[in-house]
Structure formats: structure tokens, C-alpha cells
Amino acid sequence: MSVHYVKRILLGTPIPTAHAPHERLTPLTGLAVFASDALSSVAYATEEILLILMLAGTAALGLAFPIALAIGVLIAIVVSSYRQTILVYPQGGGSYVVTRENLGRYPSLVAGAALLVDYVLTVAVSVAAGIAAITSAIRPLYPYRVTLCAIGVALIAVGNLRGVRESGRFFALPTYLFLGAYFLLIAWGGFQWLRGGVAGAPAPAPAGRGGGEVLTAFLVLRAFASGCAALTGIEAVSDGVPAFRPPEARTARRVLLALGIILIGLFLGISALVHALGVVPAEGETVNSQLARRVFGESPLYYFVQGVTMLILVLAADTSFADFPRLASFLARNRFILRQFANRGDRLAFSNGIIILALLSIGLLMLFQGDTHALIPLYALGVFVSFTLSQASMVRHWFRHLGPGWPFRALLNGTGALATALVAVIIGLTKFTHGAWIVAVLLPCMIALFVTIRRHYDEVAVQLSVEGVRPSPRPVGHGVLVLVGDVHRGMLPAIEYAQALSPSARGVYVEVDPEQTRRFEERWAKFARDMPLVVLRSPYRSVTGPLLDYLDLVQRQQPDQVVTIVLPEFVPARWWQHLLHNQTALLIKGALLFRKGVVVTNVPYHLDR
């Protein structure tokens, strides 16, 4: 079975460029692709608030819902801000594009680097959390959690490599099942609470933590910052505007508005129900699991809620697979990362970005052994840095371009920038020693790499520019050398080609065994008697060394000539058969790649099956 055949089975047949508009997302599939990351935070954001407040004792848990309300307001501000961003920048690109346009190169690189890091961490954290749900239910699978994480990442990557529209179809069902399950949980739980009774088993005993700290403003801010995990993924829609069907900006703004309303409703609904029913964090069971157990009891609905929670946590990684490649393509077009990231694959997806994201995420999961708690301290700092830069950039935009209602718009974006900047500072301070320092160190390193790559591309562009170039004198000569290692059928076409290039072509043979040289010269005289042969002695059995020395001699004797090296090379019928032969021709091509005035030509001889 060929590699091409396997690729077609996994990814499907190629899609022509002309079909690109038909492969874009509708509002329904777009919500599934870009909302799973933000919606998945409902599974843990409320619990993160409670876990911090528990440090001051159970009496402090009454602040959880006011904190959730504040986060709900922040979600509304950020959603409103990004809807304005989409309107002003319909070409997509999110924080990176808007920051580049308004604050300049280096702030935009900070935003781009922060988002790239956050997307990798989103994949790692989401998949690790989803697999943790599986291994918690089926304990024998726990030793294989890293392998399961890698398989999960690979499956999501394959789904995205198949194309944007197909990934939307693939992930739509789990997303909408999750929404249906959680709205049912909130509605039925609220109805039971209003009726004065709650079905199901009582809540487990509180976790054995907390009570050792004084309830301070800083602790409340820590709880607020932890709950702000609910905002991760909101920027995804503005990054992926070009993925929507026309009119792209209008469709993206509708999807972002729907995402904001749903996210606020779910987050506040879960937080209110947890507060009303008195659910507290417990060892061995999540707050959402306790809530579903108390509302639905040990019924199939409880297990359905747990199942779709696991699915949405794993599939939250799909948002990153939609946006990381697209953001990488913007950076590549601006020559800050490899240009290959700007290329679309044969299924119209940014395949290189998808593959690199999968490899980086799997590497991170292997490094941290699929431990969600070890990965979370690295999480969210990057996204709030990008939020702040994006909204500060929009403030600059309104002051520069004014426009209808610009004072209110600037105030809205300014409020969002201050709020998200405060959250970024709190996350950085409270999680610095627990792993956030890695992100703080990584971002400057990435920016330095971006600048280095851009400098290289700029230097290449200057050197390749034809502006002001004067015609160079033509070479006065052309020397042709045929490098041969044996006399066989694959050599004969190379000799004929070399003689067609130049009547003074010469054969070059590197001697590593004098006895073998004698036999070679006898066969050469029989099959190539009309071409001169140069034998280079190699006492240390190196092929490239004597050849390079001989080239130095030839170029010194005639510095104005071009030297063509003709390499005869037989090509096996099957790819794996290359492993059975030495790669002398490849080594020679590599050695000659950086030598000026030398042209290397391969003359392949294809072997039959």
C-alpha cells in the first residue's frame, strides 16, 4: 500500500482552488469549529473560582457568584471589542493584525507569539483534561494516558487536514450535544431549586483544603483571574474570519455574538446553580459532576452530561487547530516565520501549521506526562496579553480614524484593555513560580526568532533584487566533469549527456582501492574510450575531499569558466530500496551546494520493478 494511497484514505481527494468558497463555514458549523475552546471552559471555570475562595474557608464561597458576574461583564466587553475588530479588519488575523496596524511591529509580534503559545497549550490542556476524564472512569487505562493523548491529538489533526468544512461537520454534533446537555442541566436544576427540592445523592464532603488564609482583596483577585479561564478562545472567531462564507465579516460577527450570549448564559447559569445548591469542591469529583449528580441522580442523563463534557474538553483543541495555522499563515506572509506556513494543502487547509501544532502539542504532553495540573499554570497568560494588546490597539484606531460613535467605542475598548491587563498581571504574579515563568521567558525568545527570520528574508530579497543590476559578463568557458564510481548501465546515459554539453568533458574517478582502480580502468577503456579519465588518489578513502581539491585546481586554472558536475544515479523502483544503497551522490550534492561557479546535474537511471 503506497503512502499516497494511505494519504487519500485519511485526508480525501484533493480540492481545487476554485472550490475554496464552497469549503467555507456556515454560522452553525463555524460556531462548532471556533466555539468549542471557549465553551469547554464552562466545565472548569466555576470550579477554579471556588478552589481559590476555599483557601479562606467555605464562608468565602458566597463571593463566587459576584465574581462570576464580573467575569460575565468582562466576557461581554471582550466580545463587543472583537466584534468591532472584525468590522474594522474583515481580512482576519485577530490580535496580531490589529496590533500590527496600530501599535507597530514589536507589539504585534508579542501578540502573535502569545497566541501561538496559547494555542499549543490549549491543545495540550484540553486533550489532557479529556483523557483524564476517561482514565478516571476506566482506571486500567491510566498508565497509557500519554499514548491516548497523542492519539487524541492525531485524530483531531487528521480531521482538520481533511479541510475546514469537513472538520466543522465532524465537530458540530459533540458541540451541540454539549450545549443541549448543559442548558437542560441548568433549566431542570433551576426548576427543582425553585420547587424546593433537589433529586439525587447529597454532595460529597468538601475537599480537605482551605481555611488557612485570610480573605483579602488579593485572594478575591486570584479567584477572579482563575475564573477568567472562561474567556480563553473568544479571540478565535476574529482570527478565522476568512474561513466563513461571504459576507465573511457579517457571518463572523453573528457567530461571535452567539458565542458570547451562550458562554455568558452557561457560565452564569452553572455558577448560580452551584451557589444555590451549595456545591463545593471535593476530592475525586469535579464540581460539574457533583452538580449533574444532584440534579439528575444516577440516571443516564448524568452519564450523558459527563460524556459530552469529556468530548467537548477533547474537541476544544479543534479551535486551536483552526486558528494556529491561520495565524501562522499571517506571520509567514509578513516573513516572520517560515514561508511554508502560508501554503495551503491539497484539501485547502494550512497543512503545515496543523502538523506542527500537532507535533508541538504531543511533545508538550509527553514532557508533562499528560498531567493537566502541571500544564494549567502555563495556560491563559498568553491569551490575556493578546487581549490587552488587541483592545489597546483598537483604542489607538478610534483616536486615529475617529468615525461614528468613536468616543463610546474607544471607552469600551479602553475598559477592556485595562481589565484584561489587570488579569494578565494577576495571572503572571500568582502563577509565576508554578510554571508561568516558562511563558514569560519563551515569548522574548520567540520574538527574537521572528526578527532573525525576517532579517534573513529581507537580506535575501535585497540580494535577489534586479534593481540596478548590470549585465554580467558571460563565462568564457564551460568545464564538464562526470563523476563515476563504477562502469554500469546507469553511467552510460550520463557520459552521453556530458559529451552533448561539451566535447572536452572528462570523467573523474576517486580511488580508494588501487586494485579496484585497475579493474575500473580496463572497463572504462572498453565502454568510454573516447572520454578522458582523471583518477584522484584518496589515501584516506574520502570521496568528497579529493573531488573538492580537484575542483579548486580547475577553478584556479580557469577562474572565469562554469564547471558542471554530472552525477549518474540509479533510482530503485521502491522507496525502501534506497536504504539498501549508499548515498554518495547525495553527500556530493550537499558538499557542492555552497560552492560558487559549480553546477550539479543528476542523470537518473530508473530500475525496473
Side-chain angles (χ1 to χ4, degrees), residues 545-578:
L547 175 63
L548 295 177
D549 292 338
Y550 181 65
L551 273 176
D552 288 336
L553 175 63
V554 170
Q555 290 184 306
R556 281 197 302 269
Q557 290 174 344
Q558 293 182 287
D560 295 329
Q561 77 168 351
V562 173
V563 179
T564 297
I565 305 294
V566 178
L567 288 175
E569 187 175 6
F570 64 86
V571 182
R574 301 182 185 277
W575 66 267
W576 57 266
Q577 293 171 343
H578 284 275

Short mmCIF file of all heavy atoms in Angstrom, two decimals, residues 545-578:
data_model
loop_
_atom_site.label_atom_id
_atom_site.label_comp_id
_atom_site.label_asym_id
_atom_site.label_seq_id
_atom_site.Cartn_x
_atom_site.Cartn_y
_atom_site.Cartn_z
N GLY A 545 36.51 14.79 -0.35
CA GLY A 545 37.73 15.57 -0.14
C GLY A 545 38.57 15.73 -1.40
O GLY A 545 38.86 16.87 -1.82
N PRO A 546 39.03 14.64 -2.04
CA PRO A 546 39.81 14.77 -3.27
C PRO A 546 39.06 15.48 -4.39
O PRO A 546 39.66 16.22 -5.17
CB PRO A 546 40.10 13.31 -3.64
CG PRO A 546 40.02 12.56 -2.35
CD PRO A 546 38.95 13.24 -1.58
N LEU A 547 37.73 15.27 -4.48
CA LEU A 547 36.95 15.93 -5.51
C LEU A 547 36.97 17.45 -5.32
O LEU A 547 37.15 18.21 -6.29
CB LEU A 547 35.51 15.41 -5.50
CG LEU A 547 34.54 16.10 -6.46
CD1 LEU A 547 34.97 15.90 -7.91
CD2 LEU A 547 33.12 15.59 -6.26
N LEU A 548 36.77 17.91 -4.08
CA LEU A 548 36.79 19.35 -3.81
C LEU A 548 38.17 19.94 -4.08
O LEU A 548 38.28 21.06 -4.60
CB LEU A 548 36.36 19.61 -2.36
CG LEU A 548 34.91 19.24 -1.99
CD1 LEU A 548 34.64 19.48 -0.52
CD2 LEU A 548 33.92 20.01 -2.84
N ASP A 549 39.24 19.18 -3.75
CA ASP A 549 40.59 19.67 -4.05
C ASP A 549 40.80 19.81 -5.55
O ASP A 549 41.41 20.79 -6.02
CB ASP A 549 41.63 18.72 -3.46
CG ASP A 549 41.62 18.74 -1.93
OD1 ASP A 549 41.14 19.73 -1.37
OD2 ASP A 549 42.09 17.75 -1.32
N TYR A 550 40.30 18.85 -6.31
CA TYR A 550 40.45 18.90 -7.76
C TYR A 550 39.65 20.07 -8.35
O TYR A 550 40.11 20.76 -9.27
CB TYR A 550 39.99 17.58 -8.38
CG TYR A 550 40.13 17.53 -9.88
CD1 TYR A 550 41.39 17.56 -10.49
CD2 TYR A 550 39.00 17.44 -10.69
CE1 TYR A 550 41.51 17.52 -11.87
CE2 TYR A 550 39.12 17.39 -12.06
CZ TYR A 550 40.38 17.43 -12.65
OH TYR A 550 40.51 17.39 -14.01
N LEU A 551 38.47 20.32 -7.80
CA LEU A 551 37.67 21.46 -8.26
C LEU A 551 38.39 22.77 -7.99
O LEU A 551 38.35 23.70 -8.80
CB LEU A 551 36.31 21.46 -7.57
CG LEU A 551 35.19 20.64 -8.22
CD1 LEU A 551 33.94 20.68 -7.36
CD2 LEU A 551 34.89 21.16 -9.61
N ASP A 552 39.04 22.86 -6.82
CA ASP A 552 39.83 24.06 -6.52
C ASP A 552 40.89 24.29 -7.59
O ASP A 552 41.09 25.42 -8.06
CB ASP A 552 40.50 23.92 -5.15
CG ASP A 552 39.51 24.03 -4.00
OD1 ASP A 552 38.45 24.65 -4.21
OD2 ASP A 552 39.80 23.50 -2.92
N LEU A 553 41.56 23.21 -7.99
CA LEU A 553 42.61 23.31 -9.01
C LEU A 553 42.02 23.77 -10.35
O LEU A 553 42.56 24.67 -11.01
CB LEU A 553 43.31 21.96 -9.17
CG LEU A 553 44.36 21.86 -10.28
CD1 LEU A 553 45.53 22.82 -10.00
CD2 LEU A 553 44.86 20.43 -10.42
N VAL A 554 40.90 23.17 -10.76
CA VAL A 554 40.28 23.50 -12.04
C VAL A 554 39.83 24.97 -12.05
O VAL A 554 40.05 25.69 -13.03
CB VAL A 554 39.07 22.57 -12.31
CG1 VAL A 554 38.26 23.06 -13.51
CG2 VAL A 554 39.55 21.14 -12.54
N GLN A 555 39.25 25.43 -10.94
CA GLN A 555 38.76 26.81 -10.90
C GLN A 555 39.89 27.82 -10.81
O GLN A 555 39.74 28.95 -11.26
CB GLN A 555 37.77 26.97 -9.74
CG GLN A 555 36.45 26.23 -9.97
CD GLN A 555 35.44 26.48 -8.87
OE1 GLN A 555 35.73 26.28 -7.69
NE2 GLN A 555 34.25 26.92 -9.25
N ARG A 556 41.01 27.44 -10.22
CA ARG A 556 42.16 28.34 -10.21
C ARG A 556 42.77 28.49 -11.60
O ARG A 556 43.20 29.57 -12.00
CB ARG A 556 43.23 27.83 -9.23
CG ARG A 556 42.94 28.13 -7.78
CD ARG A 556 44.17 28.00 -6.92
NE ARG A 556 44.76 26.66 -7.02
CZ ARG A 556 44.46 25.65 -6.21
NH1 ARG A 556 43.55 25.82 -5.24
NH2 ARG A 556 45.02 24.47 -6.35
N GLN A 557 42.79 27.38 -12.35
CA GLN A 557 43.37 27.42 -13.69
C GLN A 557 42.51 28.23 -14.64
O GLN A 557 43.03 28.95 -15.51
CB GLN A 557 43.54 25.99 -14.22
CG GLN A 557 44.63 25.20 -13.50
CD GLN A 557 44.69 23.75 -13.95
OE1 GLN A 557 43.75 23.24 -14.59
NE2 GLN A 557 45.79 23.06 -13.64
N GLN A 558 41.17 28.12 -14.51
CA GLN A 558 40.26 28.87 -15.37
C GLN A 558 39.16 29.49 -14.51
O GLN A 558 38.04 28.97 -14.42
CB GLN A 558 39.65 27.96 -16.44
CG GLN A 558 40.66 27.45 -17.46
CD GLN A 558 40.00 26.60 -18.53
OE1 GLN A 558 39.61 25.47 -18.26
NE2 GLN A 558 39.88 27.15 -19.71
N PRO A 559 39.46 30.61 -13.86
CA PRO A 559 38.50 31.20 -12.90
C PRO A 559 37.22 31.72 -13.52
O PRO A 559 36.22 31.90 -12.83
CB PRO A 559 39.31 32.33 -12.26
CG PRO A 559 40.37 32.66 -13.25
CD PRO A 559 40.72 31.38 -13.93
N ASP A 560 37.20 31.97 -14.85
CA ASP A 560 36.02 32.54 -15.49
C ASP A 560 35.08 31.50 -16.10
O ASP A 560 34.10 31.87 -16.74
CB ASP A 560 36.44 33.53 -16.59
CG ASP A 560 37.17 34.73 -16.00
OD1 ASP A 560 36.85 35.10 -14.85
OD2 ASP A 560 38.06 35.29 -16.68
N GLN A 561 35.39 30.23 -15.92
CA GLN A 561 34.53 29.21 -16.52
C GLN A 561 33.53 28.66 -15.51
O GLN A 561 33.74 28.74 -14.30
CB GLN A 561 35.37 28.07 -17.09
CG GLN A 561 35.90 27.10 -16.05
CD GLN A 561 36.48 25.84 -16.66
OE1 GLN A 561 36.34 25.60 -17.85
NE2 GLN A 561 37.14 25.04 -15.84
N VAL A 562 32.45 28.13 -16.02
CA VAL A 562 31.46 27.42 -15.20
C VAL A 562 31.77 25.93 -15.28
O VAL A 562 32.01 25.40 -16.37
CB VAL A 562 30.02 27.69 -15.70
CG1 VAL A 562 29.02 26.82 -14.96
CG2 VAL A 562 29.68 29.16 -15.50
N VAL A 563 31.76 25.28 -14.14
CA VAL A 563 32.03 23.84 -14.09
C VAL A 563 30.73 23.11 -13.79
O VAL A 563 30.04 23.42 -12.82
CB VAL A 563 33.08 23.51 -13.01
CG1 VAL A 563 33.32 22.00 -12.96
CG2 VAL A 563 34.38 24.25 -13.27
N THR A 564 30.39 22.18 -14.66
CA THR A 564 29.20 21.34 -14.45
C THR A 564 29.65 19.95 -14.02
O THR A 564 30.45 19.30 -14.70
CB THR A 564 28.36 21.22 -15.73
OG1 THR A 564 27.86 22.52 -16.08
CG2 THR A 564 27.18 20.28 -15.51
N ILE A 565 29.13 19.51 -12.86
CA ILE A 565 29.40 18.15 -12.37
C ILE A 565 28.20 17.29 -12.73
O ILE A 565 27.06 17.57 -12.32
CB ILE A 565 29.59 18.13 -10.84
CG1 ILE A 565 30.70 19.10 -10.43
CG2 ILE A 565 29.90 16.72 -10.36
CD1 ILE A 565 32.07 18.72 -10.91
N VAL A 566 28.42 16.25 -13.54
CA VAL A 566 27.37 15.33 -13.95
C VAL A 566 27.44 14.10 -13.05
O VAL A 566 28.48 13.44 -12.99
CB VAL A 566 27.50 14.94 -15.43
CG1 VAL A 566 26.40 13.94 -15.81
CG2 VAL A 566 27.41 16.19 -16.31
N LEU A 567 26.33 13.82 -12.37
CA LEU A 567 26.28 12.69 -11.44
C LEU A 567 25.34 11.61 -11.98
O LEU A 567 24.13 11.81 -12.02
CB LEU A 567 25.77 13.15 -10.07
CG LEU A 567 26.71 14.01 -9.23
CD1 LEU A 567 25.99 14.46 -7.96
CD2 LEU A 567 27.96 13.24 -8.85
N PRO A 568 25.87 10.48 -12.42
CA PRO A 568 24.98 9.36 -12.76
C PRO A 568 24.42 8.75 -11.48
O PRO A 568 25.14 8.59 -10.48
CB PRO A 568 25.92 8.37 -13.47
CG PRO A 568 27.28 8.71 -13.00
CD PRO A 568 27.29 10.16 -12.65
N GLU A 569 23.12 8.46 -11.47
CA GLU A 569 22.48 7.96 -10.25
C GLU A 569 21.35 7.02 -10.63
O GLU A 569 20.43 7.41 -11.35
CB GLU A 569 21.95 9.13 -9.43
CG GLU A 569 21.41 8.74 -8.06
CD GLU A 569 21.01 9.96 -7.24
OE1 GLU A 569 21.04 11.08 -7.77
OE2 GLU A 569 20.65 9.78 -6.06
N PHE A 570 21.44 5.76 -10.16
CA PHE A 570 20.33 4.85 -10.45
C PHE A 570 19.28 4.98 -9.36
O PHE A 570 19.59 5.21 -8.19
CB PHE A 570 20.81 3.40 -10.62
CG PHE A 570 21.41 2.78 -9.40
CD1 PHE A 570 20.62 2.15 -8.46
CD2 PHE A 570 22.79 2.78 -9.20
CE1 PHE A 570 21.16 1.56 -7.34
CE2 PHE A 570 23.35 2.19 -8.09
CZ PHE A 570 22.53 1.58 -7.15
N VAL A 571 18.01 4.88 -9.77
CA VAL A 571 16.87 5.09 -8.88
C VAL A 571 16.13 3.76 -8.69
O VAL A 571 15.58 3.23 -9.66
CB VAL A 571 15.90 6.15 -9.44
CG1 VAL A 571 14.75 6.39 -8.48
CG2 VAL A 571 16.65 7.45 -9.74
N PRO A 572 16.12 3.21 -7.47
CA PRO A 572 15.39 1.95 -7.23
C PRO A 572 13.90 2.12 -7.48
O PRO A 572 13.34 3.22 -7.44
CB PRO A 572 15.69 1.64 -5.76
CG PRO A 572 16.93 2.41 -5.44
CD PRO A 572 16.85 3.65 -6.28
N ALA A 573 13.22 0.98 -7.71
CA ALA A 573 11.80 1.02 -8.04
C ALA A 573 10.94 1.34 -6.83
O ALA A 573 9.85 1.90 -6.97
CB ALA A 573 11.37 -0.32 -8.65
N ARG A 574 11.38 0.98 -5.62
CA ARG A 574 10.58 1.18 -4.41
C ARG A 574 11.35 2.07 -3.44
O ARG A 574 12.58 2.01 -3.36
CB ARG A 574 10.24 -0.16 -3.74
CG ARG A 574 9.47 -1.09 -4.67
CD ARG A 574 9.09 -2.39 -3.98
NE ARG A 574 8.46 -3.32 -4.90
CZ ARG A 574 7.18 -3.29 -5.24
NH1 ARG A 574 6.39 -2.38 -4.73
NH2 ARG A 574 6.68 -4.18 -6.09
N TRP A 575 10.60 2.87 -2.66
CA TRP A 575 11.23 3.87 -1.79
C TRP A 575 12.16 3.23 -0.77
O TRP A 575 13.23 3.76 -0.47
CB TRP A 575 10.17 4.71 -1.10
CG TRP A 575 9.32 3.95 -0.11
CD1 TRP A 575 8.14 3.33 -0.35
CD2 TRP A 575 9.62 3.74 1.27
NE1 TRP A 575 7.67 2.73 0.79
CE2 TRP A 575 8.56 2.96 1.80
CE3 TRP A 575 10.68 4.11 2.11
CZ2 TRP A 575 8.53 2.56 3.14
CZ3 TRP A 575 10.65 3.71 3.44
CH2 TRP A 575 9.59 2.95 3.94
N TRP A 576 11.76 2.08 -0.20
CA TRP A 576 12.55 1.48 0.87
C TRP A 576 13.87 0.92 0.36
O TRP A 576 14.82 0.72 1.13
CB TRP A 576 11.75 0.40 1.60
CG TRP A 576 11.25 -0.71 0.70
CD1 TRP A 576 10.04 -0.79 0.10
CD2 TRP A 576 11.96 -1.89 0.31
NE1 TRP A 576 9.93 -1.93 -0.65
CE2 TRP A 576 11.09 -2.64 -0.53
CE3 TRP A 576 13.23 -2.39 0.60
CZ2 TRP A 576 11.48 -3.85 -1.08
CZ3 TRP A 576 13.62 -3.61 0.04
CH2 TRP A 576 12.74 -4.33 -0.79
N GLN A 577 13.96 0.68 -0.96
CA GLN A 577 15.19 0.14 -1.51
C GLN A 577 16.33 1.16 -1.51
O GLN A 577 17.51 0.79 -1.60
CB GLN A 577 14.93 -0.38 -2.93
CG GLN A 577 14.00 -1.58 -2.96
CD GLN A 577 13.57 -1.97 -4.36
OE1 GLN A 577 13.71 -1.17 -5.29
NE2 GLN A 577 13.04 -3.18 -4.52
N HIS A 578 15.99 2.44 -1.37
CA HIS A 578 17.05 3.46 -1.24
C HIS A 578 17.90 3.20 -0.01
O HIS A 578 19.10 3.52 0.01
CB HIS A 578 16.42 4.85 -1.13
CG HIS A 578 15.91 5.38 -2.43
ND1 HIS A 578 16.70 6.03 -3.34
CD2 HIS A 578 14.67 5.36 -2.97
CE1 HIS A 578 15.98 6.40 -4.38
NE2 HIS A 578 14.74 6.00 -4.19
#
